[in-house]
Amino acid sequence: MHDVIILGGGPAGYLAAERAGGAGMNVALVEKRNLGGVCLNEGCVPSKTILHSSKLYSHALHAQKYGVSAKEVSFDLATVMQRKNKIIQALRKGIGTTMKKFKVTVEGGEGRILPKKGDDFQVQVGDKILAGKKLLITTGSEAIRIPVPGADQDFVYTNREILDIDFIPQNFVVIGGGVIGLEIATFFAEVGSKVTVVELLPAIAGPIDSEISGILQKELAKKGITFKLNCKVTAIGDKLVTYEADGKAESVSADIVLMSVGRRPLTKDIGLENLNVYIERGAIAVDEHGRTSIPNVWAAGDVNGTSMLAHTAYREGEVCINDMLGKPDIMRYNAIPGVIYTHPEVATVGYSESEAIDKGHQVASAKLPLSYNGRYLAETEGGRGICKVVIDKTYGTLLGVHIIGSACSEMIYGAAAMIEAELRVEDIKEIVFPHPTVSEIIKDTLRHAKT
Ligand code: NAI
């Protein structure tokens, strides 16, 4: 008998297992593929690994502006992929070691929830039936495929297949200019593919600040990426993607197509019907503690459809375990950073100006080009990055920070901490930032706001 059965070994599941094991609970963690989930095995980690290689390659090719010339620069995809696999293995092994350390029983196999037996939950894994007093569902999400003719052909990939590709396609077409599409488009553009992104909406990168989205599009276009905006894919033919633009049919050649039109929570075939848990718009509905509609059943990570980011999943898993342990804790979503690991990167946290106004705040805002910053200027010749801040005028607190430019993924947590701690802008101005660092731009932009 386990204190808790956790279904799914991605960021929400394995972090929750670690916390629960650390608190002395008897934990079973069920995983059908590999520990680490999509993020480690076919998402965040492998994509960042290969993007680092393409960035190095691109820097080597274009370093003349810094006074550096490299001859006979080459890109070896096989070595890049081997290194990526080595990193995945090492991190996977690390999670396994952590599970052992915290005495978590890892059950490899597809778990299916069975009807309850008395007060106990039952999960079938192969021939085994696990029993538990509590249940945490962390099954994650799966890539959506748009239902157009030809979408099931073998050259139409999702994030899973694309990160194992063993050749560089000449013509690479991305359907969906969101986070996954743009990151992978950056990689292939940098290593020499002719990349086209077909996006349904008039702008790329979803709900981010429109000025930042515009800059990102221009910067990626400089890498040779072609954007087809306001375009609806209608069919995928023989190495051809057909889309509707202004009511007319157009086509683009594709050796490989990446389908990156969003992800849906994975709620099917896990036996949820045996729990009768409340599902809302395809996701398991949860409250601020991660509790579902059924007592003693929690859900965390992509399966609850709330934020669909690995770092959100970590925290949600932790909140669920704290709730099981009776420790007061709630999930707050107002300071969750979002990063797009394109080159240049985008990092945002909190409200945009229009969101803040919609939420009823009296808003002050400011913007600075990153070229205002010494370190950025030193290291980013010709960079067009910007930083925007949004402030609540009434309380003098920071509501949002939005940056495009190198290093922003590594500094956005600072802004998240400021928002989370409800620091007043006057207090932030007294914090000493290291100089010269790009992070100073946050403080400098705040100084430019008329509060
Ligand atoms: P997404 O929701 O970010 O972007 C999907 C894009 O596809 C949207 O721009 C949408 O307008 C477009 N689209 C939808 N239907 C279309 C159609 N029929 N034709 C053309 N365009 C269409 O989804 P994405 O990129 O697949 O990412 C999935 C999830 O993974 C997201 O929830 C994201 O948060 C997460 N993720 C996060 C990363 C990060 O934090 N850096 C990296 C990768 C994924």
Side-chain angles (χ1 to χ4, degrees), residues 176 178-180 183 199-201 260-263 308-309 339 341:
V179 253
I180 295 181
E183 290 180 8
E199 165 60 51
L200 197 60
L201 298 178
S260 51
V261 294
R263 298 181 65 84
M308 290 196 146
L309 293 168
V339 174
Y341 296 85

Side-chain angles (χ1 to χ4, degrees), residues 38 43-44 47-48 141-144 146-148 159 174-183 197-207 228 231-234 243 259-264 302 307-311 337-342 346:
V38 169
C44 331
S47 59
K48 263 83 268 177
S141 62
E142 61 185 352
I144 296 171
I146 50 170
V148 294
N159 59 293
V174 175
I175 304 179
V179 253
I180 295 181
L182 294 175
E183 290 180 8
V197 175
V198 186
E199 165 60 51
L200 197 60
L201 298 178
I204 59 166
K228 298 288 177 188
C231 289
K232 188 175 177 195
V233 172
T234 50
Y243 52 89
M259 187 75 86
S260 51
V261 294
R263 298 181 65 84
R264 69 163 75 90
D302 284 9
S307 152
M308 290 196 146
L309 293 168
H311 42 281
V339 174
I340 311 177
Y341 296 85
T342 39
V346 174

Side-chain angles (χ1 to χ4, degrees), residues 77 81 157 164-170 188 193 239 255-256:
L77 185 67
M81 289 300 184
Y157 289 10
D164 270 332
I165 196 165
D166 59 5
F167 70 102
I168 296 169
Q170 204 181 347
F188 282 107
S193 298
K239 303 272 161 143
D255 304 312
I256 293 291

Side-chain angles (χ1 to χ4, degrees), residues 28 90-91 118 138 154 159 181 234 241 329 331 341 395 426 450:
L91 292 172
T138 50
D154 58 6
N159 59 293
T234 50
V241 173
D329 198 4
M331 190 62 208
Y341 296 85
Y395 299 103
E426 289 312 307
K450 291 194 174 50

